[in-house]
Amino acid sequence: MVAMNSFWFLNREADTQLSSDTDLEDPDVKNAKLAKGKAGKKGKKAPGEKGKGGAAKGAGLGRVNGHHQENGRENMTLFEVVKMGKSATQSVVDDWIESYKNDRDIALLDLINFFIQCSGCKGAVSAEMFRHMQNSEIIRKMTEEFDEDSGDYPLTMAGPLWKKFKSSFCEFIGVLVRQCQYSIIYDEYMMDTVISLLTGLSDSQVRAFRHTSTLAAMKLMTALVNVALNLSINMDNTQRQYEAERNKVMAKRANDRLELLLQKRKELQENQDEIENMMNAIFKGVFVHRYRDAIAEIRAICIEEIGVWMKMYSDAFLNDSYLKYVGWTMHDKQGEVRLKCLTALQGLYYNRELNTRLELFTSRFKDRIVSMTLDKEYDVAVQAIKLLTLVLHSSDEVLTAEDCESVYHLVYSAHRPVAVAAGEFLYKKLFSHRGPEEEEMPRRGRQSVNGNLIKTTVFFFLESELHEHGAYLVDSLWECAGELLKDWESIISLLLDEPMPGEEALTDHQETALIEIMLCAIRQACECHPPVGRGTGKRVLTAKEKKTQLDDRTRITEIFAVALPLLLAKYCVDAEKVTNLLQLPQFFDLEIYTTGRLEKHLESLLRQIREVVEKHTETDVLEACSMTYHALCNEEFTIFNRVDIARSQLLDELVDKFNRLLEDFLQEGEEPDEDDAYQVLSTLKRITAFHNAHDLSKWDLFTSNYKLLNTGLQNGDMPEQIVIHAMQCTHYVILWHLSKVSEGSSTKGDMVTLRKQMRAFCLMCQSYLTSVNTTVKEQAFTILCDALMIFSHQIVSLGREQLEALIYTPDSSLQAELLNFILDHVFIDQDDDNNSTDGQHDDEASKIEALHKRRNLLAAYCKLIIYNVVEMNTGADIFKQYMRYYNDYGDIIKETMSKTRQIDKIQCAKTLILSLQQLFNEMLSDLGCNFDRSSSSFCGIKELARRFSLTFGLDQLKTREAIAMLHKDGIEFAFKEPSPQGEGNPPLNLAFLDILSEFSSKLLRQDKKTVHLYLERFMTFQMALQREDCWLPLISYRNSLQAGGDDDTMSVISGYSSRGSSIRSKKAKPASTGKRKLPEGEGPTQSHRTESSSCSTDAVWMNREQNVQTPVMMPSPHLSSTVLRDPKKMRPEESYMGVYQQHPQTPMDYNRRSSGLMEDDEEPIVEDVMMSSEDRLEDLNEGMDFDTMDIDLPPSKNRRERSELKPDYFDPSSIMDDSVGIGLLLRVK
């Protein structure tokens, strides 16, 4: 095609690109580049001559700052018209074209001011400036007039007026080129001026100019590509017409037509050359620089548009010269840019005709696309999977088995869009290919196509070895394979029918997996919401979805009401299969049993359930049977009586059998027989499982169970499982009794009976807390915590004052026993927990299970603290474990502290200081009174105090009284015990003041003075004069109170004197490079501190540096807690050492020169204006969490050495290197 030959210059490699890293290159050089390729054309002139024509003589007439003046009335500018968005873009462009034809300089000045105003600049280009100033001078002038008070500009502003501005702006540019494509764009004036202006603006250090001009340039390029495509089509048509005419015989050939066609082809070729040069200028002048801009939005614009070009005009742009930019940018550190790369590629891979041109790109970047399925940005991961699905759709040979397997496992992802995309990929790979022999197979049944696909699903499920996550697999496949998963007939046939001759039957393991998948599919069809962990909540179903749900539920009931008894009969001895099958009736429409005349199948189902109860003793199976009876015993349906009779008969037999066995079991004088114990335990398990969901109060199970527990307590030889289930059953008895009393359908005697039973049972459980068996103690503890919560003062809430007599408050002995249980069984090392693993191997799974159990025990006790069931000060023994067991229970303890503070701030503060005092006393008992304050024990207590201090938050007024009380208790504790070495020596607990100083920063200024006065009450005159090391805690604490009067934001550091202060105010001088690190979790507190505080005096800091020598624990910092300094104020030699220092945001001085940072022949280099803004913080900080861009481009000819310059903010690789450097620096420090 002729068009392909015309794009040779546009397709050249980047080493011939325009290379300039300066602010704004010389306009003459730019114009020379823009006019490159035009020199041989007749009558062409460079855009630098724009103001020299005769039409410019009256350019300034009738205009004020770019506004039309008609009869003294000011018209709206182009910017205002586009901003309003009320006028049709077509008419706005037509009016501008008409103006351009009348006076092109005036119209062009309007267009220039349109781009300037769209950037948010308040200035305007005057006719005088347009006539006599070069583009670089105009842009510099506009930069000086830019409003720096706000970082917002039209493309980033919020509000309804600005929401559609971007689309209106882009539409205006597209319509402008479309309306001018036949004449004006070839006049060598309008397009040259616009492209030169946009190229200059795109090189600006001002983000608003750069962002707006890049968007305009890219949309301009897209419009030109469309024009070039039309020209190419017209050239092809003209060429065909010419060939057809020339091939005619001489008699019929029209020479004049041949002349016209040749002339037309020549004109089209010239026009295409013009468009080619315009696109070349935009691509090399804007795209090549801005696709690696420091701002992610700008990079995303470039990648999005190049994808449009390749899709729109694939003959010219779909080659490796352009694809490489998309491939390189897939390594971008910002998710939105990576996302644009993937969406651009999807548009290309969707068209199968383009696949051959993408082969080299696919082979080069396939591994990167596969790795992006695990991107930390879920949107990127979703699009990466969809792109791989398109690649798979185009060719099965591109992706290897390893590539596919890396996507397969994502069907179990907790993020639903990722899982659904992976499910579609899995379906395309495993289920969408059908051979010719499968076309003739039946649609449903064991030998059907679906039957084979269902077996494939089972095989995949088993190979993934995630057998407890069948619901996730079903949910992932539901949208693409829902009809397959709802083929109940084929599933039932696979389970019940005998295999055909030559067919391999399903193994027992495969049948179990198939039943689990079947259950999950039934649940998904009936509940219509994703499994737990994948959805934010139940969404409102549409009318169509509700109808589908009802139809599915009806069909499920009709099919499985008949099949379920047969399935239970076949698998009745398999506990796992039966447990899943028994859950199916919960999803039935029970009315169909009557309307569909299926009563006989109901009778069969009830017989099978009874048989399962008699055969099994597993808790899961029995609870499934209990829930099935509960689902079927619905009084709204006519089948209730039939099911209720069957249930009552079963329970009568179970209770009678239990009472008979229990009487024989307890009356034996000798040790109980193992067979009798087994019979009692199995019957008790069945009763307990049913009592969970059914009210068995009429059988009076409390007496028999209490008798059983009492006997076990006296003899001490009762099997632990019998004791555990007896406790659980008794607990259910009391809860059902409470439910009946709460409904008001009981007598006063019932209330008295319940109160006696509850108290007796609590005393029984308390007695079992001293059992030698750990499992029994854990059960007693859990039930006690539940009972104390239920029968606490909360029971009378919501208008239930009649239950006040049931309130049970634990006495001090019970509280002490509960606390001792927690300390003995929860706060232990993993290796010491030998009993909780039940003799299993010490593998990872058993450790996790044991930890989960201990977390539940701790949470149960913490609820008692939160709801004020036990004394709050008992929480001191819990809070003091915060640091030691932070990984295991840190979240629970922190939440408990937060809730207790909401209940009573002062009591919570007293509890916190009590926990620190307990740790201090323990340290004294271990190390003695002459301990070293640099020891790990003391530093650990000090670090815990600092963590406690952070939990008080930023609002000092809310915590004022609590903090004051904390200091009061701390001071009293420090001077409580006199020195064991006699008078003249510091008190025994004086070092506690060093710990207490961590809370000084939370005191208000006036409160610091009050606390200091309170401290002086305990001090003698001699104490104030002491300067020995043993008195350093007192000196440090006094300094913290005195210095704090000037600085409320500083946590006093009793560490090395070289550490210095943490955060200074606005007036502070730059601190030294050695700073205190912000620990994890402290960042938000420090970064939001008020700026009203001022620095402490130099004398105070000098005094502290001379006196304070105790080291302090320095945990590694968290990067998100940093606050960037203003880049303008950061000298190269400072690098990022001052990253923790706060500085006020000041306007950018674009004319300020940085000494030693530029060459003599270049414009001043200034930082990117937005790199100093708070909202661009992540551009520097997030690099260490993302993949770094690896762009193999030759260096620019004017590129200077890195050691001599600040980072090149237009080079993303440099940004990433710097951001990674920050992370490394912070870690090393």
Side-chain angles (χ1 to χ4, degrees):
M1 184 181 289
V2 178
M4 289 297 295
N5 296 329
S6 67
F7 277 83
W8 66 273
F9 188 73
L10 193 58
N11 292 338
R12 293 171 68 184
E13 290 297 318
D15 55 1
T16 63
Q17 69 188 34
L18 302 177
S19 55
S20 176
D21 288 320
T22 60
D23 244 359
L24 297 170
E25 60 183 68
D26 189 273
D28 293 334
V29 178
K30 248 181 214 178
N31 294 334
K33 292 173 182 175
L34 185 61
K36 188 174 182 179
K38 298 183 181 180
K41 297 190 178 182
K42 185 177 181 180
K44 308 276 173 142
K45 60 180 180 180
E49 305 174 29
K50 61 181 182 179
K52 309 293 191 292
K57 292 181 180 178
L61 300 179
R63 300 184 59 82
V64 177
N65 292 333
H67 295 259
H68 287 287
Q69 297 289 327
E70 294 182 5
N71 299 325
R73 181 172 60 85
E74 185 179 68
N75 287 339
M76 295 178 67
T77 63
L78 279 176
F79 169 71
E80 292 168 341
V81 174
V82 172
K83 181 180 73 173
M84 296 299 294
K86 295 180 179 179
S87 304
T89 306
Q90 180 83 32
S91 62
V92 176
V93 171
D94 289 343
D95 291 342
W96 183 87
I97 292 175
E98 190 65 29
S99 172
Y100 186 83
K101 291 178 180 178
N102 294 331
D103 191 329
R104 66 180 189 177
D105 284 338
I106 291 178
L108 204 52
L109 187 58
D110 274 343
L111 192 60
I112 290 173
N113 279 313
F114 168 72
F115 290 118
I116 296 295
Q117 291 172 344
C118 287
S119 301
C121 181
K122 302 301 182 183
V125 180
S126 65
E128 187 70 20
M129 295 167 59
F130 179 67
R131 187 183 305 115
H132 298 294
M133 296 175 66
Q134 298 293 346
N135 276 337
S136 60
E137 298 171 334
I138 292 175
I139 295 172
R140 190 187 308 279
K141 182 68 174 176
M142 292 301 100
T143 299
E144 293 172 357
E145 297 183 12
F146 202 93
D147 181 14
E148 303 171 25
D149 294 339
S150 173
D152 290 333
Y153 48 96
L155 290 181
T156 61
M157 286 182 181
L161 184 63
W162 302 105
K163 283 185 178 179
K164 295 183 179 180
F165 175 77
K166 181 178 179 180
S167 59
S168 300
F169 177 71
C170 298
E171 182 185 6
F172 174 82
I173 296 173
V175 174
L176 178 64
V177 174
R178 188 176 71 235
Q179 294 299 102
C180 299
Q181 65 177 318
Y182 300 110
S183 60
I184 295 180
I185 62 174
Y186 304 113
D187 69 356
E188 304 175 3
Y189 184 58
M190 188 270 279
M191 290 301 293
D192 289 357
T193 304
V194 170
I195 292 174
S196 180
L197 173 72
L198 294 179
T199 303
L201 287 174
S202 69
D203 279 339
S204 173
Q205 298 288 341
V206 181
R207 170 178 170 169
F209 280 151
R210 206 166 67 254
H211 187 182
T212 307
S213 61
T214 300
L215 176 62
M218 293 300 99
K219 291 298 180 182
L220 186 64
M221 178 79 167
T222 301
L224 291 175
V225 169
N226 189 45
V227 173
L229 178 61
N230 292 334
L231 287 173
S232 176
I233 294 173
N234 290 334
M235 286 184 64
D236 290 343
N237 293 337
T238 303
Q239 183 68 23
R240 282 195 298 269
Q241 293 173 6
Y242 176 80
E243 294 294 339
E245 189 67 30
R246 194 179 64 174
N247 291 335
K248 291 180 180 179
V249 296
M250 290 294 297
K252 294 184 179 182
R253 184 185 304 168
N255 291 327
D256 55 345
R257 178 170 172 76
L258 287 175
E259 288 285 340
L260 290 174
L261 291 173
L262 282 173
Q263 182 64 27
K264 182 179 180 182
R265 189 178 66 176
K266 181 179 179 182
E267 292 177 359
L268 290 174
Q269 183 63 53
E270 289 180 355
N271 289 343
Q272 194 171 47
D273 291 341
E274 288 278 349
I275 299 297
E276 191 177 305
N277 286 324
M278 296 176 195
M279 293 191 297
N280 215 1
I282 295 174
F283 186 82
K284 293 182 178 293
V286 180
F287 178 88
V288 170
H289 297 289
R290 299 282 70 78
Y291 90 95
R292 53 199 186 109
D293 194 275
I295 306 301
E297 293 93 330
I298 298 177
R299 302 198 298 273
I301 289 171
C302 294
I303 296 302
E304 181 179 17
E305 293 306 313
I306 197 175
V308 174
W309 308 337
M310 290 187 288
K311 183 179 179 181
M312 180 189 299
Y313 199 176
S314 57
D315 289 338
F317 286 94
L318 188 56
N319 55 60
D320 298 325
S321 297
Y322 297 99
L323 282 169
K324 65 185 179 184
Y325 294 108
V326 181
W328 289 335
T329 314
M330 283 195 296
H331 294 269
D332 195 276
K333 63 178 181 177
Q334 294 293 336
E336 61 178 302
V337 184
R338 301 195 298 274
L339 186 63
K340 292 297 182 182
C341 294
L342 295 172
T343 52
L345 292 173
Q346 286 176 14
L348 302 177
Y349 280 97
Y350 185 79
N351 188 350
R352 289 193 174 187
E353 297 178 357
L354 305 178
N355 289 341
T356 54
R357 302 186 189 181
L358 294 167
E359 289 179 355
L360 181 60
F361 175 85
T362 305
S363 63
R364 169 66 179 82
F365 292 101
K366 180 197 66 174
D367 292 340
R368 173 57 186 159
I369 299 173
V370 172
S371 69
M372 291 173 76
T373 60
L374 299 175
D375 199 289
K376 64 182 295 184
E377 300 287 343
Y378 287 124
D379 292 341
V380 177
V382 170
Q383 298 306 322
I385 297 171
K386 289 183 177 180
L387 178 58
L388 289 177
T389 305
L390 291 174
V391 173
L392 183 67
H393 193 61
S394 62
S395 175
D396 290 336
E397 301 175 356
V398 175
L399 299 178
T400 64
E402 292 78 9
D403 296 334
C404 294
E405 287 174 3
S406 65
V407 181
Y408 290 161
H409 75 276
L410 294 176
V411 297
Y412 298 103
S413 171
H415 191 261
R416 191 168 191 272
V418 172
V420 170
E424 184 179 355
F425 179 89
L426 176 65
Y427 183 78
K428 291 281 186 184
K429 180 66 176 177
L430 300 183
F431 303 144
S432 59
H433 302 287
R434 296 187 180 182
E437 68 281 356
E438 293 181 343
E439 298 295 335
E440 302 178 358
M441 297 177 67
R443 191 154 173 247
R444 298 189 183 278
R446 188 182 188 95
Q447 296 296 318
S448 65
V449 176
N450 280 356
N452 292 333
L453 295 180
I454 290 170
K455 286 193 285 187
T456 303
T457 306
V458 172
F459 299 154
F460 172 81
F461 181 48
L462 292 176
E463 289 177 2
S464 63
E465 297 181 353
L466 293 170
H467 306 154
E468 297 179 358
H469 297 78
Y472 286 81
L473 175 61
V474 169
D475 181 55
S476 302
L477 295 171
W478 194 253
E479 294 184 7
C480 58
E483 292 303 317
L484 170 66
L485 296 172
K486 290 192 289 188
D487 187 358
W488 316 121
E489 293 90 344
S490 298
I491 295 176
I492 292 172
S493 177
L494 286 170
L495 292 172
L496 293 179
D497 296 349
E498 293 295 326
M500 300 294 290
E503 180 188 0
E504 185 176 354
L506 294 176
T507 64
D508 178 71
H509 206 30
Q510 292 168 350
E511 288 178 336
T512 301
L514 178 55
I515 290 174
E516 182 178 351
I517 292 174
M518 177 186 71
L519 170 63
C520 296
I522 291 173
R523 182 186 292 114
Q524 185 89 4
C526 294
E527 295 181 351
C528 292
H529 64 79
V532 176
R534 269 210 184 154
T536 56
K538 293 185 179 180
R539 63 182 183 86
V540 179
L541 301 180
T542 63
K544 183 179 180 180
E545 290 173 334
K546 288 181 179 178
K547 184 179 183 303
T548 303
Q549 181 187 27
L550 292 175
D551 293 343
D552 287 342
R553 191 173 185 184
T554 300
R555 188 163 169 267
I556 287 170
T557 306
E558 292 173 347
I559 293 175
F560 284 96
V562 178
L564 183 57
L566 301 176
L567 292 169
L568 288 173
K570 180 176 181 180
Y571 300 111
C572 64
V573 296
D574 192 314
E576 187 175 0
K577 294 185 178 70
V578 167
T579 301
N580 286 329
L581 289 171
L582 284 172
Q583 297 182 48
L584 299 186
Q586 301 175 29
F587 309 104
F588 285 1
D589 182 359
L590 300 181
E591 189 66 29
I592 294 178
Y593 271 114
T594 304
T595 58
R597 299 183 181 277
L598 302 175
E599 289 87 351
K600 63 177 183 179
H601 297 290
L602 176 62
E603 293 289 346
S604 178
L605 175 61
L606 293 174
R607 286 196 301 271
Q608 292 299 327
I609 296 175
R610 182 187 180 95
E611 186 176 343
V612 170
V613 172
E614 294 173 350
K615 287 184 177 180
H616 290 273
T617 59
E618 294 87 351
T619 302
D620 291 340
V621 177
L622 295 174
E623 288 183 351
C625 293
S626 174
M627 293 306 298
T628 302
Y629 273 116
H630 184 267
L632 296 174
C633 286
N634 193 327
E635 297 181 3
E636 297 179 2
F637 301 101
T638 55
I639 65 172
F640 170 73
N641 291 332
R642 189 172 303 188
V643 179
D644 186 44
I645 291 173
R647 178 185 62 176
S648 299
Q649 290 176 349
L650 175 62
L651 292 175
D652 278 338
E653 294 180 8
L654 287 175
V655 175
D656 289 344
K657 181 180 179 181
F658 176 67
N659 289 331
R660 186 174 62 254
L661 290 170
L662 185 61
E663 186 176 353
D664 296 340
F665 183 71
L666 297 179
Q667 284 182 354
E668 293 182 5
E670 55 189 25
E671 187 176 343
D673 183 70
E674 288 186 6
D675 184 59
D676 293 338
Y678 175 78
Q679 290 294 330
V680 171
L681 175 60
S682 59
T683 308
L684 183 57
K685 278 185 174 182
R686 296 184 178 101
I687 293 174
T688 303
F690 273 87
H691 210 348
N692 188 12
H694 305 271
D695 185 7
L696 309 184
S697 300
K698 63 180 180 180
W699 282 281
D700 188 23
L701 291 169
F702 180 84
T703 303
S704 54
N705 279 284
Y706 187 82
K707 187 177 180 181
L708 184 61
L709 290 171
N710 193 37
T711 303
L713 190 63
Q714 294 175 356
N715 299 337
D717 57 353
M718 188 71 66
E720 68 173 46
Q721 288 299 316
I722 292 180
V723 174
I724 290 173
H725 285 87
M727 284 184 185
Q728 193 65 55
C729 187
T730 308
H731 187 48
Y732 290 149
V733 171
I734 292 175
L735 293 182
W736 277 108
H737 200 168
L738 175 62
S739 176
K740 186 180 295 185
V741 170
S742 300
E743 294 172 357
S745 58
S746 59
T747 63
K748 186 176 181 180
D750 292 335
M751 182 84 72
V752 174
T753 302
L754 174 59
R755 187 172 185 273
K756 290 181 178 179
Q757 290 180 350
M758 179 267 297
R759 291 177 177 269
F761 179 59
C762 287
L763 291 174
M764 181 66 69
C765 290
Q766 182 178 354
S767 300
Y768 270 103
L769 282 178
T770 58
S771 172
V772 295
N773 190 288
T774 302
T775 309
V776 172
K777 287 193 288 187
E778 289 175 352
Q779 179 75 348
F781 176 85
T782 303
I783 291 178
L784 260 178
C785 289
D786 288 345
L788 291 175
M789 275 296 303
I790 294 169
F791 292 97
S792 67
H793 55 86
Q794 305 280 344
I795 199 173
V796 298
S797 60
L798 301 177
R800 294 180 296 185
E801 288 78 9
Q802 73 275 11
L803 302 179
E804 186 175 359
L806 297 177
I807 296 178
Y808 180 64
T809 303
D811 55 20
S812 58
S813 63
L814 178 55
Q815 293 187 37
E817 289 189 46
L818 292 173
L819 179 59
N820 289 333
F821 176 86
I822 287 293
L823 297 178
D824 294 339
H825 295 83
V826 173
F827 295 109
I828 58 175
D829 294 332
Q830 186 77 51
D831 297 336
D832 297 338
D833 190 20
N834 298 323
N835 296 319
S836 298
T837 57
D838 295 329
Q840 299 179 12
H841 296 294
D842 189 19
D843 56 5
E844 205 63 32
S846 62
K847 287 184 178 181
I848 293 174
E849 184 178 354
L851 176 60
H852 183 66
K853 183 188 295 184
R854 294 197 301 272
R855 284 175 58 86
N856 286 337
L857 294 174
L858 178 60
Y861 184 77
C862 287
K863 281 194 294 185
L864 299 181
I865 300 175
I866 292 172
Y867 288 96
N868 208 21
V869 177
V870 298
E871 296 294 335
M872 190 181 293
N873 57 14
T874 61
D877 290 279
I878 307 296
F879 297 161
K880 70 183 183 182
Q881 310 290 346
Y882 182 60
M883 289 294 294
R884 182 179 178 186
Y885 295 95
Y886 181 82
N887 291 334
D888 292 343
Y889 317 117
D891 54 337
I892 299 176
I893 298 176
K894 187 175 182 180
E895 184 66 16
T896 304
M897 286 190 287
S898 175
K899 294 295 183 182
T900 53
R901 184 174 293 113
Q902 295 174 17
I903 297 171
D904 189 337
K905 294 183 179 65
I906 294 179
Q907 188 59 39
C908 176
K910 293 172 75 70
T911 304
L912 291 178
I913 201 68
L914 177 61
S915 65
L916 295 173
Q917 291 170 3
Q918 291 178 356
L919 287 174
F920 188 83
N921 286 330
E922 293 173 6
M923 181 193 67
L924 286 180
S925 62
D926 293 340
L927 304 180
C929 58
N930 295 322
F931 65 91
D932 184 3
R933 289 198 309 278
S934 64
S935 64
S936 60
S937 299
F938 184 80
C939 291
I941 302 173
K942 188 171 174 60
E943 174 63 15
L944 179 61
R946 193 189 62 79
R947 293 291 185 98
F948 284 169
S949 174
L950 293 176
T951 63
F952 283 93
L954 298 173
D955 194 339
Q956 293 177 317
L957 288 176
K958 288 184 178 180
T959 60
R960 181 180 183 182
E961 295 181 2
I963 291 294
M965 184 60 66
L966 184 146
H967 279 272
K968 177 179 177 295
D969 288 359
I971 292 172
E972 292 174 353
F973 175 77
F975 291 93
K976 182 179 179 181
E977 298 291 337
S979 173
Q981 300 173 358
E983 242 183 272
N985 291 294
L988 180 64
N989 300 333
L990 186 69
F992 188 79
L993 293 178
D994 207 0
I995 298 169
L996 192 60
S997 63
E998 290 294 336
F999 297 93
S1000 297
S1001 62
K1002 297 298 179 181
L1003 286 168
L1004 293 175
R1005 295 184 183 180
Q1006 56 269 37
D1007 292 343
K1008 289 182 179 179
K1009 297 177 181 178
T1010 305
V1011 172
H1012 188 267
L1013 291 175
Y1014 188 75
L1015 173 66
E1016 290 180 342
R1017 293 185 187 178
F1018 295 84
M1019 294 174 54
T1020 63
F1021 180 74
Q1022 289 76 14
M1023 289 183 182
L1025 300 177
Q1026 298 296 334
R1027 287 295 180 269
E1028 290 83 359
D1029 287 348
C1030 59
W1031 294 95
L1032 278 178
L1034 177 59
I1035 299 171
S1036 172
Y1037 185 55
R1038 289 186 66 194
N1039 288 342
S1040 71
L1041 297 177
Q1042 293 170 349
D1046 298 321
D1047 186 1
D1048 285 343
T1049 68
M1050 182 184 59
S1051 176
V1052 178
I1053 309 167
S1054 183
Y1056 296 115
S1057 59
S1058 61
R1059 293 294 182 186
S1061 61
S1062 59
I1063 293 180
R1064 305 293 176 92
S1065 66
K1066 292 181 179 181
K1067 297 180 180 180
K1069 297 179 181 179
S1072 62
T1073 56
K1075 296 186 182 297
R1076 173 180 178 175
K1077 291 183 176 181
L1078 290 179
E1080 200 166 343
E1082 187 177 356
T1085 305
Q1086 295 285 5
S1087 62
H1088 292 82
R1089 294 270 169 84
T1090 60
E1091 297 184 359
S1092 61
S1093 60
S1094 60
C1095 287
S1096 58
T1097 62
D1098 291 341
V1100 173
W1101 286 108
M1102 290 174 62
N1103 188 25
R1104 179 173 303 158
E1105 291 177 357
Q1106 293 170 3
N1107 295 330
V1108 182
Q1109 299 174 357
T1110 308
V1112 66
M1113 292 177 63
M1114 291 290 178
S1116 59
H1118 196 279
L1119 187 57
S1120 63
S1121 66
T1122 62
V1123 178
L1124 278 181
R1125 295 179 55 187
D1126 190 339
K1128 296 187 307 173
K1129 301 190 178 189
M1130 188 184 299
R1131 297 188 299 272
E1133 60 269 19
E1134 284 181 325
S1135 183
Y1136 292 95
M1137 300 296 284
V1139 72
Y1140 283 121
Q1141 204 152 1
Q1142 286 183 332
H1143 286 270
Q1145 291 291 334
T1146 57
M1148 193 71 177
D1149 182 6
Y1150 293 98
N1151 295 321
R1152 183 185 62 81
R1153 292 179 177 268
S1154 301
S1155 59
L1157 293 180
M1158 56 188 167
E1159 298 175 348
D1160 296 334
D1161 59 342
E1162 296 184 22
E1163 295 292 335
I1165 297 177
V1166 291
E1167 306 278 329
D1168 176 5
V1169 67
M1170 295 309 294
M1171 292 301 291
S1172 62
S1173 300
E1174 292 178 0
D1175 59 344
R1176 301 313 305 164
L1177 181 61
E1178 66 272 16
D1179 281 337
L1180 287 175
N1181 284 351
E1182 292 184 1
M1184 69 180 204
D1185 296 327
F1186 286 95
D1187 298 320
T1188 56
M1189 188 184 299
D1190 183 17
I1191 300 177
D1192 188 16
L1193 287 178
S1196 173
K1197 289 183 292 184
N1198 296 331
R1199 185 66 56 86
R1200 290 152 292 181
E1201 292 298 327
R1202 290 286 179 195
S1203 59
E1204 301 175 3
L1205 289 173
K1206 294 190 234 180
D1208 181 1
Y1209 287 108
F1210 294 148
D1211 185 356
S1213 61
S1214 118
I1215 296 296
M1216 295 165 200
D1217 291 341
D1218 287 338
S1219 60
V1220 173
I1222 295 173
L1224 293 175
L1225 174 64
L1226 297 179
R1227 290 191 182 96
V1228 170
K1229 287 177 66 179

